[in-house]
């Protein structure tokens, strides 16, 4: 049995086509040397533009990572000073007969606030503000008709942020 006979006995989906039998043969048109050179130039220009864009993206990404690392380092350092801030705040709330002592503690607190401000660290506003779970940590609820719903009634511990990054959430009591 010849190859042609075997192909005719196979189902249509299994029959093989030879290049001579296919009517669709793709032939690329011949390019002149000038057209080939222009195509190569366009290809190299495209590669160059892609490389330039890739480098620009790398540069921007590296700059952003560097800024994030700096912000994170400042935030971590400030977080270590926050217990000192809390203790100074408690000391200021205590009554004392010694005015010089009270003034000294107030000066230290002012100096610490100035240092935090220079670092770009700001206190999260809480007292009287609407409760925001992104920056506030509600530890108590109180029923108070004088305050609106979801309004911070009392601040137990101040919260801090640097830019949009929260260093420590404000610990608050919220009115229902």
């Amino acid at each position: 049995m010849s190859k042609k006979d075997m192909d005719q006995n196979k189902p249509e989906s299994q029959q093989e086509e030879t290049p001579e039998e296919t009517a669709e043969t793709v032939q690329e048109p011949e390019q002149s040397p000038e057209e080939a050179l222009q195509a190569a130039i366009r290809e190299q220009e495209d590669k160059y533009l892609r490389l330039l864009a890739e480098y620009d993206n790398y540069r921007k990404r590296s700059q952003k990572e560097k800024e994030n690392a700096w912000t994170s380092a400042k935030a971590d350092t400030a977080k270590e000073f926050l217990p000192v801030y809390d203790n100074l705040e408690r000391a200021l709330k205590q009554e004392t007969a010694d005015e010089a002592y009270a003034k000294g503690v107030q000066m230290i607190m002012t100096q610490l606030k100035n240092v935090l401000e220079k670092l770009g660290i700001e206190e999260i506003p809480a007292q009287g503000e609407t409760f925001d779970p992104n920056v506030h940590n509600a530890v108590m609820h109180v029923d108070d008709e004088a305050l609106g719903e979801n309004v911070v009634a009392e601040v137990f511990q101040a919260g801090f942020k640097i830019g949009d990054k929260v260093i420590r959430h404000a610990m608050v009591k919220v009115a229902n």
Side-chain angles (χ1 to χ4, degrees):
M1 192 184 254
S2 70
K3 180 172 168 96
K4 195 172 190 179
D5 291 336
M6 288 198 302
D7 284 345
Q8 288 176 350
N9 292 338
K10 288 183 182 178
E12 286 184 33
S13 61
Q14 291 182 355
Q15 289 184 3
E16 296 176 18
E17 292 183 11
T18 59
E20 297 92 36
E21 295 172 346
T22 58
E24 298 177 23
T25 55
V26 178
Q27 290 183 357
E28 293 184 20
E30 291 293 319
Q31 289 184 339
S32 69
E34 188 174 304
E35 290 173 339
L37 183 61
Q38 290 296 327
I41 289 172
R42 282 192 300 274
E43 183 180 324
Q44 290 299 320
E45 190 175 81
D46 185 52
K47 284 182 183 179
Y48 170 75
L49 290 174
R50 289 178 188 273
L51 183 64
L52 184 64
E54 190 175 312
Y55 174 74
D56 191 45
N57 289 339
Y58 166 77
R59 185 181 53 77
K60 288 176 184 175
R61 187 174 58 248
S62 296
Q63 181 66 26
K64 187 175 180 181
E65 287 173 358
K66 190 172 160 185
E67 288 171 3
N68 287 341
W70 177 246
T71 301
S72 292
K74 285 194 300 186
D76 291 344
T77 303
K79 195 173 195 173
E80 296 299 318
F81 281 102
L82 293 182
V84 175
Y85 179 92
D86 295 336
N87 289 332
L88 286 171
E89 201 170 57
R90 285 185 203 102
L92 287 171
K93 289 179 182 177
Q94 295 299 316
E95 294 294 325
T96 182
D98 189 356
E99 288 298 317
Y101 173 78
K103 185 176 180 183
V105 173
Q106 181 61 47
M107 288 172 58
I108 293 170
M109 181 61 131
T110 303
Q111 188 177 21
L112 181 58
K113 283 183 178 181
N114 288 340
V115 168
L116 293 174
E117 186 179 309
K118 284 179 186 177
L119 290 173
I121 297 164
E122 56 189 40
E123 189 171 340
I124 296 171
Q127 185 71 39
E129 298 285 323
T130 302
F131 176 75
D132 180 2
N134 296 320
V135 294
H136 301 128
N137 179 18
V139 293
M140 290 180 68
H141 291 279
V142 65
D143 289 327
D144 191 349
E145 298 300 323
L147 295 171
E149 190 166 325
N150 285 334
V151 173
V152 174
E154 187 178 345
V155 178
F156 297 120
Q157 190 177 49
F160 292 90
K161 65 181 182 175
I162 182 167
D164 291 335
K165 181 179 178 160
V166 175
I167 299 171
R168 179 175 77 183
H169 291 78
M171 194 180 310
V172 297
K173 181 194 302 184
V174 180
N176 287 340

